[in-house]
Amino acid sequence: MATGRTISASFLTDFDKKVIELCEKISDTIFNSITDKDKQKLFKKEYGKISLTRDGGLGLGAGKLQRDAICTRGRQGKAPYSNRNLRWHPLIVAENSVEYAKEIERIEIDGEDESQVLVFVIKNSKGKEEKYPSDKVHELPERYVALPKHWMPHIDKLKNWSDTLWTQNSCVIPTYECCDWFQSVETYAILGISVAVAFYDVDFKTLYAEIENILKSQTVDKTIKLPSKLFPTDKKDIICCPICKKTISSNLNEFRKEERPATWQPAWRSSKKEEGEDASNQIMHVSPLIETEIRHTAKNVRYGHRWCNVAMTDHSLDETLDFMEFVVKAHNRCK
């Protein structure tokens, strides 16, 4: 299966770089708003570090904010999915046509044996065909979508591709994970505010005003007015877990009857036990991501507890609460 980095992970267009640098400005503002020097270092390490790459960089390249807000999820498998990529990456794949992307003309495969490369053919504004191999699709002039009909002519060949071929052609992102650049930036900002206030004792009102001014003065695209109408204003909405309504810094220990028992972990591997704790901080989508609508926005993305996130799975908040209500009644736990 594809196991390496996204193809052309280290290559950014000038536009991509400007967007990431805008996020870096937000990160620096949060960093400077933290008065405790040790907490500053912790924020930088865990959340605020910036990597000028499409996938957030290797290892500890980028902080959690960049990985969650402006990068897609890590993916592996016998498919051309990027193993993380920018959410405004211009080549998406979907089951059906979507109104926010143009269809490609076709897919071709160039080369032989272990040198085979996916090539995506589009028509430019003048009606002339242009070809973009997998390592150049990030240079597409606007968002394009590849549909099942475009892959079908190559099914017999693709199903026999090696792990190496999949890795060197990992160049698309799922439609439901995509969004526009400014939606990624606003998401970065709102998640940044939430952790700054909840974990690092930053004053909400002051930081919110500073970040709001950064968004208003952005120069990436002056035709886009930020913050948008989707940018939330309520402090509790921003710093509280959408499910339990406790602040994201709450540890939920009051709900565990016994200490979580230790389990064996290989000493030669780095431990990720904290990521499995009930209160570990995870990205949540209040309404689940779908192909027909862009939902990775500051209105819909929050940080929440792992326990709450797991309970929600891919359901909406209303569906989750309805199910929880049913379970509580089924066990006669209503008070």
Side-chain angles (χ1 to χ4, degrees):
M1 65 176 64
T3 56
R5 296 181 70 187
T6 290
I7 192 70
S8 301
S10 298
F11 291 87
L12 297 172
T13 65
D14 289 340
F15 180 82
D16 295 333
K17 188 177 180 182
K18 287 180 180 179
V19 177
I20 297 176
E21 287 175 342
L22 178 58
C23 291
E24 185 172 29
K25 190 173 182 180
I26 294 171
S27 176
D28 289 344
T29 298
I30 296 172
F31 177 86
N32 291 327
S33 70
I34 302 171
T35 56
D36 184 282
K37 297 299 181 183
D38 290 334
K39 287 185 176 181
Q40 275 188 331
K41 293 178 182 177
L42 188 59
F43 167 77
K44 195 73 169 181
K45 177 183 176 182
E46 297 294 329
Y47 289 96
K49 192 176 180 182
I50 291 291
S51 173
L52 289 174
T53 58
R54 308 193 70 77
D55 63 352
L58 291 169
L60 299 176
K64 184 171 172 59
L65 289 177
Q66 180 171 345
R67 297 195 307 271
D68 289 344
I70 70 175
C71 290
T72 60
R73 291 176 294 177
R75 282 176 172 267
Q76 297 179 345
K78 292 186 176 296
Y81 289 122
S82 296
N83 190 16
R84 290 196 182 279
N85 207 330
L86 299 174
R87 287 186 181 268
W88 61 91
H89 181 66
L91 184 60
I92 61 178
V93 287
E95 183 66 24
N96 298 293
S97 297
V98 290
E99 63 180 15
Y100 49 87
K102 292 183 177 180
E103 285 188 27
I104 64 169
E105 293 297 310
R106 64 183 180 278
I107 295 173
E108 298 177 353
I109 299 179
D110 283 354
E112 300 292 336
D113 301 325
E114 293 299 289
S115 297
Q116 295 177 76
V117 174
L118 293 172
V119 178
F120 299 85
V121 183
I122 67 165
K123 279 189 177 179
N124 62 24
S125 58
K126 297 180 180 180
K128 183 179 179 180
E129 286 192 351
E130 294 181 354
K131 296 185 178 183
Y132 288 81
S134 57
D135 64 342
K136 296 292 183 182
V137 295
H138 63 280
E139 297 178 357
L140 281 163
E142 55 188 310
R143 183 179 289 141
Y144 283 86
V145 59
L147 302 172
K149 66 182 180 182
H150 299 121
W151 300 98
M152 287 304 295
H154 309 291
I155 292 297
D156 290 339
K157 181 175 288 189
L158 293 175
K159 68 183 181 182
N160 293 313
W161 265 23
S162 65
D163 295 348
T164 299
L165 284 171
W166 285 120
T167 298
Q168 68 192 29
N169 284 282
S170 54
C171 64
V172 305
I173 66 172
T175 298
Y176 56 85
E177 288 199 51
C178 83
C179 67
D180 292 320
W181 70 269
F182 55 89
Q183 292 165 327
S184 275
V185 172
E186 286 195 329
T187 300
Y188 188 100
I190 216 64
L191 293 181
I193 292 172
S194 69
V195 298
V197 175
F199 292 106
Y200 300 101
D201 306 317
V202 174
D203 179 70
F204 174 80
K205 189 174 182 180
T206 302
L207 179 61
Y208 189 96
E210 290 178 348
I211 289 181
E212 189 176 34
N213 285 333
I214 291 174
L215 296 175
K216 286 180 178 178
S217 60
Q218 64 84 18
T219 58
V220 177
D221 183 348
K222 293 184 178 180
T223 66
I224 303 294
K225 302 300 180 183
L226 299 179
S228 72
K229 293 180 179 179
L230 298 180
F231 199 73
T233 59
D234 182 71
K235 178 181 177 180
K236 288 185 178 179
D237 175 32
I238 294 170
I239 70 169
C240 292
C241 173
I243 293 288
C244 69
K245 292 298 184 179
K246 285 180 168 289
T247 62
I248 57 174
S249 57
S250 302
N251 58 28
L252 303 185
N253 284 348
E254 63 192 276
F255 301 105
R256 182 176 282 278
K257 301 300 182 183
E258 299 176 357
E259 288 294 321
R260 187 183 181 196
T263 56
W264 180 82
Q265 297 291 334
W268 55 90
R269 294 175 56 187
S270 58
S271 175
K272 292 189 176 182
K273 184 178 180 180
E274 289 185 1
E275 295 180 9
E277 296 291 345
D278 292 335
S280 65
N281 202 18
Q282 293 188 351
I283 185 175
M284 302 175 70
H285 291 89
V286 180
S287 294
L289 299 177
I290 57 176
E291 288 192 348
T292 55
E293 178 185 344
I294 293 177
R295 290 186 176 177
H296 187 81
T297 67
K299 179 181 179 180
N300 193 47
V301 180
R302 291 292 181 274
Y303 275 140
H305 305 111
R306 175 182 179 273
W307 191 357
C308 299
N309 196 27
V310 170
M312 196 170 182
T313 63
D314 62 348
H315 292 275
S316 69
L317 178 59
D318 285 340
E319 289 171 342
T320 302
L321 296 177
D322 286 344
F323 179 66
M324 288 179 173
E325 184 180 26
F326 166 80
V327 172
V328 170
K329 288 180 178 178
H331 288 268
N332 296 317
R333 292 294 296 270
C334 297
K335 294 182 180 180

